Amino acid sequence: MFFYPVLTDEYQFIGQVLSLCQEINTVDELANRMNLSLSTFNRKFQSSFNISPYKWMIKKKTEKVYNAIIESESPLKQVADEVGFSSLSQMIDYCKKHIGMTPGEIRKQRKSIPDMN
């Protein structure tokens, strides 16, 4: 019972982060929405997730972009709009930096993998 308040607080923090992360674009925004100072938020986040909030948000955004590219047959310009980029060239630059391939290369690679169904 001794750890119950601490664990409950941590689980609430994690739950709040996970529910807000879909609609938040920056660490500052997330800290503000959670009514925490940036330093307190960073400390709690690092303790709960064992990664910096910035790196975690980049990882989540990269997963979202990658999945949107491989799961959609929509034109890449439309995918870029849907995942929040202001232009296709911005998404291309992001993919090159964080995935190591352009969106077109990602789709091409995905299509070359046989479907296991």
Side-chain angles (χ1 to χ4, degrees):
M1 281 305 259
F2 175 73
F3 292 108
Y4 179 75
V6 174
L7 291 175
T8 301
D9 183 49
E10 184 172 354
Y11 287 134
Q12 287 176 337
F13 177 80
I14 291 170
Q16 201 172 6
V17 167
L18 295 175
S19 70
L20 290 172
C21 74
Q22 299 299 318
E23 58 191 71
I24 301 295
N25 294 318
T26 68
V27 175
D28 287 338
E29 278 183 74
L30 193 50
N32 286 336
R33 286 285 298 273
M34 295 180 71
N35 296 319
L36 296 171
S37 70
L38 188 57
S39 60
T40 299
F41 176 80
N42 283 333
R43 187 177 63 256
K44 286 184 84 162
F45 193 99
Q46 183 73 42
S47 172
S48 296
F49 289 89
N50 294 318
I51 188 173
S52 78
Y54 176 76
K55 287 181 181 176
W56 186 83
M57 289 185 85
I58 292 293
K59 182 179 175 189
K60 289 293 177 193
K61 181 176 182 176
T62 302
E63 290 170 2
K64 179 181 176 182
V65 169
Y66 182 84
N67 289 331
I69 291 168
I70 65 170
E71 292 172 359
S72 173
E73 294 296 323
S74 301
L76 290 173
K77 169 67 174 124
Q78 184 176 336
V79 174
D81 291 340
E82 290 169 0
V83 294
F85 290 103
S86 60
S87 67
L88 176 56
S89 64
Q90 188 183 37
M91 184 172 78
I92 291 169
D93 291 343
Y94 183 90
C95 288
K96 283 181 188 177
K97 180 177 181 179
H98 295 285
I99 302 172
M101 295 183 278
T102 67
E105 291 168 337
I106 293 167
R107 274 199 175 160
K108 207 178 279 184
Q109 178 189 49
R110 173 67 181 115
K111 288 180 181 177
S112 69
I113 299 171
D115 193 5
M116 295 296 185
N117 292 329

